[in-house]
Amino acid sequence: MKKMMTGMLLLAIALPGSAASLGTWGDTWDIREHDLIAVMKNNLQQHFAGQSPQALQQEMQKQAEAGAMRPPPVEGLITSQDTHTRLFDPTFTVTRDIADDKGAVFARKGQQVNPFDIIPVFNETLYFIDGDDERQLAWMKAQQTATAIRKIILVNGNVRDSAVALGEQMFFDQTGTLTRKFGIRQVPARVMQAPGQKLFSITEYGLPDR
């Protein structure tokens, strides 16, 4: 129960707020002039020409592993020499009834919920860093964490290389979900519960120039 409630704190800020049209992505194709599937097939045949099925499988596996180790970076983040701290209210509107593992409903659809009302203490500290920035790796090594748990979340970089460099497990903010919800615009950043409050404290740290 407590583990599930703890997860709600992050679920609350990771839930999508709205949906919108994304418009048109990339080039459009006139079907009278181009057969997109045929073009893609031809490109693939040219790219893999002369390779055995085993070599093709190995290359595809290698590409998949590379993508998993280095997902696309979160866009729009900067570094700065200035440090800023602000508070973040995780209160959200419940979109459907939420029940515990025994089926007891503890949040009704339409209800305003602050997860800190359910779990008063969030005993985790979240760090957001760019794993390709040596300054941020050095900054992370110097951090003294007061909470029992800390999680390092990459916004850019290689997951395996960063884990080796810091000697800790790495996470990655896929598609920038958490940074957007927390409103993080600058890294490195630290997110933790504000002492004695039902709010998160978010600090975006300044770094010296490269």
Side-chain angles (χ1 to χ4, degrees), residues 57-195:
Q57 183 177 1
Q58 290 177 358
E59 180 169 345
M60 293 176 65
Q61 182 177 352
K62 183 178 179 180
Q63 291 178 354
E65 291 176 352
M69 288 298 101
R70 182 179 285 276
V74 178
E75 297 182 354
L77 300 178
I78 65 169
T79 59
S80 171
Q81 293 184 352
D82 300 321
T83 296
H84 312 278
T85 299
R86 56 186 169 80
L87 297 176
F88 175 85
D89 185 350
T91 299
F92 68 103
T93 301
V94 179
T95 58
R96 59 180 176 82
D97 290 355
I98 302 176
D100 62 20
D101 53 348
K102 294 187 172 75
V105 175
F106 57 84
R108 298 287 181 181
K109 180 179 179 180
Q111 180 180 348
Q112 290 283 317
V113 174
N114 184 325
F116 286 120
D117 290 332
I118 302 170
I119 297 182
V121 177
F122 181 64
N123 202 22
E124 295 186 17
T125 301
L126 310 179
Y127 295 95
F128 294 82
I129 65 169
D130 181 342
D132 283 348
D133 188 340
E134 292 294 335
R135 299 171 304 165
Q136 297 188 44
L137 292 176
W139 175 88
M140 190 65 241
K141 289 179 181 179
Q143 295 307 298
Q144 300 294 321
T145 306
T147 56
I149 300 171
R150 77 179 192 176
K151 293 180 179 177
I152 305 174
I153 304 169
L154 297 182
V155 298
N156 181 45
N158 185 288
V159 175
R160 181 187 294 114
D161 292 347
S162 299
V164 171
L166 295 174
E168 297 187 46
Q169 182 180 11
M170 295 292 118
F171 299 86
F172 202 101
D173 188 16
Q174 297 271 17
T175 71
T177 300
L178 288 176
T179 50
R180 283 198 306 272
K181 290 298 181 180
F182 280 125
I184 293 172
R185 305 298 297 173
Q186 176 182 318
V187 287
R190 183 193 68 188
V191 177
M192 60 186 296
Q193 184 177 2

